[in-house]
Each structure stands twice: as structure tokens, then as C-alpha cells.
Amino acid sequence: MSDVGQPHDETSTSSFEEIVRKFEAPLLRYAAHFVSNSDVAQDIVQNAFIKLSFRWTPDAGRSQAELSAWLYRVTHNLAVDHIRREARRSIFLSRHAVEKECEIGENQEAGSISETAEKAAVLLKSLSLREQQVVTLKVYEERSYQEIARITGLSEGNVGYILHHAMQKLALAIGNTNAEEGSTDETET
């Protein structure tokens, strides 16, 4: 029995190196079209070859066309994963920037943001990360369901479902905090 991904002999190592030499440049060009950054494209292609090294055996009998299709598919998936990670990171950074702008605006113009909006921003953090992402894209970034689906990798129906339930949670939480404040005010008088 052989170890998957472990070179068996000198011949298998050299044939893996031949595959890298043959496909590296075309895969780099392909990945660079997605990420527009040569360093990131190199990382993506390197990870594709690492995945191949764990699954590749010289005697597997794969045709060049099958190998090529597999490498391009893996490179594509890794590039899309990178783009999604960056989109999520960008969303969180932009949300943080919006919150900082709100804090600066509050200091400059007292009362410019309604209490309900403030509560909603605070309560947004109580939602799951997925719900926060969808609500942020819809409310702060004003994205369509279709755009949110593309960014998150969810279906449009799933985006609508998550958004609907997240907004219900926020409305309920805002209502609860308003009710709690009302009862606190009444007991103080």
C-alpha cells in the first residue's frame, strides 16, 4: 500500500516537478485575473499544487486533460475563497469605519443619530456573524439580495431568509430595550 501524496521514488518526484513546470505559468495567469495581485496569485497556485501533492500518485492513470481541469478548478475555488475572505474582511473594516464616523459625528453634532439607530448598531453585534454580514451588506452597504448572494456565496432565498430573521431579532431586541427603559424610567419617578 502506498502513501497518498508521498513521492514513491525519484521518477515520481521528477514527474510531479514536470507537472508544476507545465502548469505553473498558466495557473498564475488564471489566478491573477481573479485577484489582481501577483503575490496572492502565487499563494493560490502554490496551495493548488500542495493539494495536488496530497492526492497525486504517478500511477493514477489520469490524462493531462483531467489533471488540467482539476488544477484549474482547484485554483478557481481557492481564488474565490480568497475573494470571499477579503469581502468579509472589507465588510467588517467598513462597518468599523462607519461606527468610528458615527462616534466622530456624535461628538460634533449631539443627537444626530437617533437612539433607535444607536441601539440597532449595538444590538447588531448580538447577531451571528452570518446575520451581521447580511444585515451590514443590506443596510449599511445598500446591496441587493443578488449582490449579497454573490458576496456571501449564499442563494438569494437564503439571503432573504437570514435577513428577515435577523431584522426580526433586532426589532424584538430594540422593543425589549425600549420596554426595559420605560419600566426603569417609571420606577425612578
Side-chain angles (χ1 to χ4, degrees):
M1 185 174 268
S2 63
D3 293 330
V4 174
Q6 298 299 318
H8 299 292
D9 56 24
E10 189 79 24
T11 308
S12 65
T13 302
S14 66
S15 54
F16 184 79
E17 289 172 359
E18 289 172 22
I19 290 169
V20 171
R21 272 193 298 275
K22 179 177 181 175
F23 290 102
E24 183 177 29
L27 290 173
L28 281 170
R29 282 191 305 273
Y30 182 67
H33 285 290
F34 287 101
V35 296
S36 302
N37 180 323
S38 62
D39 291 334
V40 174
Q42 287 176 345
D43 289 344
I44 288 169
V45 171
Q46 179 181 5
N47 286 335
F49 284 124
I50 289 170
K51 287 181 180 278
L52 176 65
S53 74
F54 286 114
R55 290 173 176 75
W56 184 76
T57 55
D59 55 346
R62 290 186 195 97
S63 70
Q64 286 292 314
E66 289 174 318
L67 180 61
S68 176
W70 187 87
L71 281 169
Y72 273 87
R73 185 174 58 250
V74 169
T75 300
H76 173 84
N77 290 344
L78 289 169
V80 168
D81 289 347
H82 171 78
I83 291 165
R84 286 179 180 157
R85 266 192 315 278
E86 287 301 308
R88 285 191 296 267
R89 186 173 150 242
S90 174
I91 289 165
F92 290 120
L93 290 175
S94 67
R95 185 179 74 209
H96 180 70
V98 166
E99 289 172 356
K100 287 295 180 191
E101 287 174 13
C102 289
E103 288 175 13
I104 291 168
E106 286 174 358
N107 292 338
Q108 292 173 352
E109 298 176 21
S112 63
I113 293 182
S114 73
E115 283 185 42
T116 305
E118 276 184 43
K119 290 176 190 171
V122 169
L123 292 170
L124 180 64
K125 292 180 175 111
S126 69
L127 299 175
S128 72
L129 287 177
R130 176 67 75 192
E131 290 169 330
Q132 288 180 37
Q133 180 185 28
V134 171
V135 170
T136 300
L137 284 169
K138 184 65 180 163
V139 176
Y140 291 111
E141 301 296 320
E142 298 177 349
R143 301 290 180 141
S144 69
Y145 282 25
Q146 185 179 27
E147 290 172 313
I148 296 169
R150 268 190 263 129
I151 291 169
T152 61
L154 300 168
S155 69
E156 286 182 50
N158 201 353
V159 167
Y161 176 83
I162 292 170
L163 186 60
H164 173 75
H165 286 280
M167 296 305 276
Q168 280 184 330
K169 286 180 186 177
L170 286 174
L172 182 63
I174 289 170
N176 286 342
T177 58
N178 286 342
E180 288 172 8
E181 287 175 4
S183 65
T184 306
D185 291 341
E186 291 173 11
T187 56
E188 290 177 0
T189 56

